[in-house]
Amino acid sequence: MKKLENKVAVITGGTTGIGLAAARLFASEGAKVIVTGSNPKTLDVARAELAGVAEVVASDAGSAKDIAALVAHVTDKHGGVDVLFLNAGIAKFAPIGDLDESVFDELFRVNVKGPWLALKSFAPKLRRGGSVILNTSVVGNLGMAGSTAYAATKAAVRSFARTAAAELAGAGVRVNAVSPGPIETPIYGKMGMPAEALKGFAESITAQVPLSRFGRPEEIAKAALFLASDDASYITAEEIVVDGGLSNV
Ligand SMILES: NC(=O)c1ccc[n+]([C@@H]2O[C@H](COP(=O)([O-])OP(=O)(O)OC[C@H]3O[C@@H](n4cnc5c(N)ncnc54)[C@H](OP(=O)(O)O)[C@@H]3O)[C@@H](O)[C@H]2O)c1
């Protein structure tokens, strides 16, 4: 028996990286998968890569109008939602003094307002037995230099998992978070760092990870699948850390 047979799964930010790996895994476990993204180029690539696997929908995670349209589209087509993986996110790192206010605002728009809008709009459509998974980050619990705004967005999302779990328990919906350590995805190439600086950044992080490597998107997707499935039927308001030991050793 597949773990998500006949389930409808929405994954925000499923065009690349962790969301893309989750889309493939959830579909292989029997789910009807809908993924979103905002960049027309990666949306096109994802449509080709996920043909026959998942539906790809253009939807800006931080736009209330786009999220309302996404909810209407998914519920018109499928009636409701069983699994909601709120994964869309962006990352920018700079010391406090160098971080532009506009970057701070965009981080909070996409990473915090985004999942809040999705929780608010999808909640009435989540079926009993459903599961919401929020993508946080180990930096939400660490004092990593350069991560003030990004880390704060992820700490906020960790908090959403607790409160939404309390609010949705009565409807039979579990809400949890998966907290990745450093995972090899395109997110690092979007941070605006010169190649040499990025290489140094990656090396210094790898040196701090007991398992001595970046994780793979599939390794986060597997934890998200666990939380999405009935294997995690007594787990709610929890955060599963998948970080090669970074935050505990
Ligand atoms: N990689 C890591 O080391 C790491 C560590 C901890 C946590 N995370 C978290 O994991 C999540 C996925 O990141 P990733 O590493 O897989 O990076 P990624 O490959 O850059 O994926 C990010 C996804 O989010 C989408 N996205 C970004 N802005 C969006 C917006 N405004 N509206 C809709 N979709 C949007 C992207 O699509 P478009 O480009 O098409 O918009 C893409 O599908 C993020 O929340 C990130 O913070 C990653």
Side-chain angles (χ1 to χ4, degrees):
M1 173 77 174
K2 292 183 171 178
K3 289 182 188 294
L4 299 180
E5 198 72 61
N6 299 322
K7 304 283 187 192
V8 174
V10 174
I11 302 173
T12 64
T15 52
T16 61
I18 293 166
L20 179 62
R24 290 198 174 108
L25 185 61
F26 289 10
S28 76
E29 289 291 342
K32 294 184 185 76
V33 179
I34 300 97
V35 306
T36 70
S38 66
N39 177 328
K41 279 191 194 145
T42 38
L43 281 163
D44 278 351
V45 175
R47 277 192 188 100
E49 280 189 38
L50 292 174
V53 174
E55 183 186 3
V56 180
V57 177
S59 175
D60 178 358
S63 155
K65 189 166 146 270
D66 282 14
I67 295 298
L70 175 68
V71 174
H73 171 73
V74 172
T75 49
D76 281 357
K77 201 164 165 184
H78 300 288
V81 174
D82 302 287
V83 176
L84 181 60
F85 184 19
L86 300 178
N87 164 76
I90 52 173
K92 296 275 187 252
F93 296 96
I96 300 176
D98 298 338
L99 193 78
D100 283 348
E101 186 183 346
S102 61
V103 173
F104 179 97
D105 287 345
E106 184 62 1
L107 280 165
F108 273 78
R109 190 187 76 85
V110 177
N111 293 6
V112 180
K113 189 177 168 194
W116 180 79
L117 284 170
L119 279 168
K120 182 178 163 71
S121 309
F122 274 106
K125 309 294 181 188
L126 291 167
R127 293 190 182 110
R128 187 159 281 278
S131 169
V132 179
I133 304 113
L134 293 145
N135 197 334
T136 56
S137 167
V138 291
V139 303
N141 285 313
L142 299 174
M144 194 181 106
S147 75
T148 49
Y150 177 73
T153 67
K154 294 304 187 174
V157 174
R158 171 65 185 102
S159 172
F160 287 169
R162 291 193 182 92
T163 315
E167 292 194 11
L168 296 180
V173 173
R174 296 176 296 102
V175 185
N176 292 288
V178 61
S179 177
I183 308 299
E184 210 172 318
T185 73
I187 206 167
Y188 292 96
K190 301 174 192 171
M191 293 194 310
M193 269 193 200
E196 204 50 35
L198 197 54
K199 193 164 162 270
F201 181 66
E203 282 168 0
S204 90
I205 292 178
T206 305
Q208 297 168 53
V209 177
L211 294 184
S212 305
R213 64 172 176 86
F214 271 51
R216 294 182 290 276
E218 295 73 20
E219 293 174 311
I220 304 302
K222 284 179 192 167
L225 171 64
F226 168 68
L227 291 171
S229 75
D230 283 346
D231 288 347
S233 54
Y234 197 51
I235 301 179
T236 195
E238 189 50 274
E239 180 179 57
I240 294 186
V241 176
V242 186
D243 70 347
L246 173 65
S247 26
N248 277 304
V249 176

